[in-house]
């Protein structure tokens, strides 16, 4: 039974560690040296901070990129969390395994002028010419040339 | 059968096959620590009932593909997350504490779905978050990706 108590105590202490992370004092959430003491910990009143960093990340990782970036404006805590490289990796790894976020990019080449580019869901297995197709915005003056691999990234 | 006790002193009996979906309880059982009642000081009975409902439904999840019950489970999951914000957060906290991965993913995805098209103001209000960014800091974030703040789908309502 002693082992059980130790296990429970261990779980409890892990939960406390999660809850005690406070972004207002530390820009880097994952700094190992960051260990706030009980006295300096502010009262956790906002729902997001009561949930703890890990849980909030588990929710935010499901957001599409547009909302993900917009929600940086929610508070300092969210801004720092969303800007964390570790979290960006987590979001990216979820997105690349999510069939709904995989797209097929295609373009029509015109000899002169701007060539429109389109994308459609890769998972739908649909005809690329159906209503699922979206026209993409891209920098003016960009002309796709010949056949090849196009790499897109969001800086 | 395994006995679980909520923080309001209510006891629940759950089949071992169901309850071992919780990594935390599975470890306790493997270590021989689940012979009597397992107290769950972080979970109230209302939330625990929801969690047990999920565990019982997902008891044979591995076999669902073989028996063609996948659609049934999907429908159950959709109905399951149809609950209020506070209730959903309580289940998320419980799933995190008990370390039930599938339940955690289901509820977190549902929470994200409710937030995804919301405006910044609506999110703050829904989650009772105080904005501590200065106007300049806010403008700087907007300038980094102005396209993320525009669009007809952005919903400013709170619900």
């Amino acid at each position: 039974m002693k082992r059980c108590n130790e296990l429970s105590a261990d779980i409890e202490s892990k939960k406390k560690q999660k809850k005690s992370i406070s972004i207002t004092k530390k820009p880097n959430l994952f700094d190992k040296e960051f260990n706030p003491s009980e006295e300096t910990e502010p009262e956790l009143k906002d729902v997001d901070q009561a949930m703890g960093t890990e849980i909030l990340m588990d929710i935010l990782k499901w957001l599409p990129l547009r909302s993900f970036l917009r929600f940086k404006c929610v508070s300092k805590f969210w801004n720092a969390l969303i800007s964390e490289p570790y979290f960006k990796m987590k979001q990216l790894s979820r997105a690349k395994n999510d069939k709904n976020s995989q797209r097929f990019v295609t373009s029509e080449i015109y000899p002169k002028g701007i060539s429109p580019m389109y994308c459609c869901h890769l998972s739908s297995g649909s005809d690329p010419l159906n209503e699922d197709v979206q026209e993409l915005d891209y920098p003016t003056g960009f002309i796709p040339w010949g056949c090849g691999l196009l790499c897109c990234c969001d800086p | 059968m395994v006995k679980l006790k909520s923080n309001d002193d209510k006891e629940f009996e759950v089949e071992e096959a169901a309850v071992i979906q919780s990594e935390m309880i599975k470890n306790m059982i493997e270590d021989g620590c689940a012979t009597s009642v397992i107290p769950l000081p972080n979970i109230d009975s209302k939330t625990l009932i929801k969690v047990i409902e999920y565990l019982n439904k997902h008891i044979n999840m591995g076999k669902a593909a073989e028996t063609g019950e996948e659609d049934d489970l999907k429908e159950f999951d959709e109905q399951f997350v149809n609950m209020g914000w506070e209730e959903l957060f309580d289940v998320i906290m419980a799933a995190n504490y008990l370390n039930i991965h599938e339940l955690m993913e289901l509820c977190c995805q549902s929470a994200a779905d409710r937030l995804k098209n919301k405006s910044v103001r609506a999110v703050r209000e829904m989650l009772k978050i105080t904005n501590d960014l200065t106007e300049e800091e806010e403008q700087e974030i907007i300038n980094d990706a102005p396209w993320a703040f525009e669009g007809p789908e952005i919903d400013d309502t709170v619900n």
Side-chain angles (χ1 to χ4, degrees), chain A:
Chain A
M1 218 34 223
K2 194 176 172 230
R3 254 179 105 191
C4 295
N5 292 338
E6 281 168 6
L7 185 67
S8 306
D10 184 43
I11 291 161
E12 276 305 299
S13 74
K14 278 183 186 161
K15 297 285 151 187
K16 276 183 188 161
Q17 277 170 16
K18 279 185 185 177
K19 284 187 181 179
S20 63
I21 295 173
S22 161
I23 192 63
T24 50
K25 291 198 173 61
K26 192 75 187 177
N28 186 353
L29 283 172
F30 302 97
D31 190 326
K32 283 178 185 162
E33 285 172 25
F34 177 47
N35 187 17
S37 63
E38 292 294 321
E39 309 87 79
T40 57
E41 188 182 336
E43 197 188 335
L44 297 174
K45 53 180 180 176
D46 294 345
V47 175
D48 59 340
Q49 294 195 26
M51 273 194 290
T53 315
E54 278 287 332
I55 297 181
L56 189 58
M57 283 202 291
D58 279 334
I59 295 173
L60 299 184
K61 74 175 183 189
W62 293 102
L63 291 173
L65 187 65
R66 187 187 283 264
S67 334
F68 192 68
L69 294 177
R70 185 168 65 246
F71 294 166
K72 278 180 161 190
C73 252
V74 168
S75 68
K76 283 187 177 168
F77 181 74
W78 284 47
N79 183 26
L81 190 65
I82 293 172
S83 306
E84 269 296 322
Y86 165 77
F87 188 31
K88 282 185 187 163
M89 288 298 292
K90 203 169 173 169
Q91 225 263 356
L92 189 67
S93 87
R94 184 205 58 82
K96 75 177 181 194
N97 292 321
D98 177 6
K99 291 206 159 42
N100 288 326
S101 67
Q102 294 170 352
R103 305 288 176 112
F104 176 73
V105 179
T106 181
S107 90
E108 292 172 53
I109 308 284
Y110 296 137
K112 286 179 187 171
I114 293 181
S115 312
M117 285 178 66
Y118 306 96
C119 81
C120 64
H121 280 285
L122 197 58
S123 59
S124 60
S126 56
D127 175 0
L129 298 173
N130 73 6
E131 73 282 351
D132 181 39
V133 178
Q134 276 180 301
E135 188 167 349
L136 290 178
D137 288 333
Y138 55 85
T140 49
F142 169 80
I143 301 167
W145 183 251
C147 300
L149 185 67
L150 179 72
C151 297
C152 303
C153 82
D154 190 347

Side-chain angles (χ1 to χ4, degrees), chain B residues 4 27 61 88-89 99 101 105 128:
Chain B
L4 306 176
N27 290 341
M61 205 173 68
L88 184 68
F89 285 136
N99 201 352
H101 180 73
E105 295 281 270
K128 301 183 179 66

Side-chain angles (χ1 to χ4, degrees), chain A residues 4 66-67 73-74 76, chain B residues 33 116 118 124 132 147 150:
Chain A
C4 295
R66 187 187 283 264
S67 334
C73 252
V74 168
K76 283 187 177 168
Chain B
C33 298
K116 70 179 178 188
K118 294 290 175 188
R124 283 189 200 128
D132 51 4
W147 54 273
E150 299 157 0

Side-chain angles (χ1 to χ4, degrees), chain B residues 33-97:
Chain B
C33 298
T35 46
S36 57
V37 183
I38 300 174
L40 302 170
N42 293 357
I43 306 175
D44 62 26
S45 54
K46 193 179 152 208
T47 309
L48 191 53
I49 289 169
K50 288 293 286 181
V51 173
I52 292 171
E53 184 193 345
Y54 176 91
L55 293 176
N56 283 335
K57 186 70 190 181
H58 282 250
I59 195 165
N60 290 322
M61 205 173 68
K63 291 183 189 161
E66 295 163 25
T67 54
E69 286 170 17
E70 269 177 328
D71 288 346
D72 181 39
L73 268 188
K74 216 172 162 183
E75 202 181 312
F76 169 85
D77 285 354
E78 276 170 22
Q79 290 295 319
F80 182 83
V81 290
N82 188 12
M83 54 176 109
W85 260 123
E86 284 193 17
E87 215 180 337
L88 184 68
F89 285 136
D90 286 342
V91 176
I92 289 175
M93 300 288 266
N96 182 56
Y97 177 70

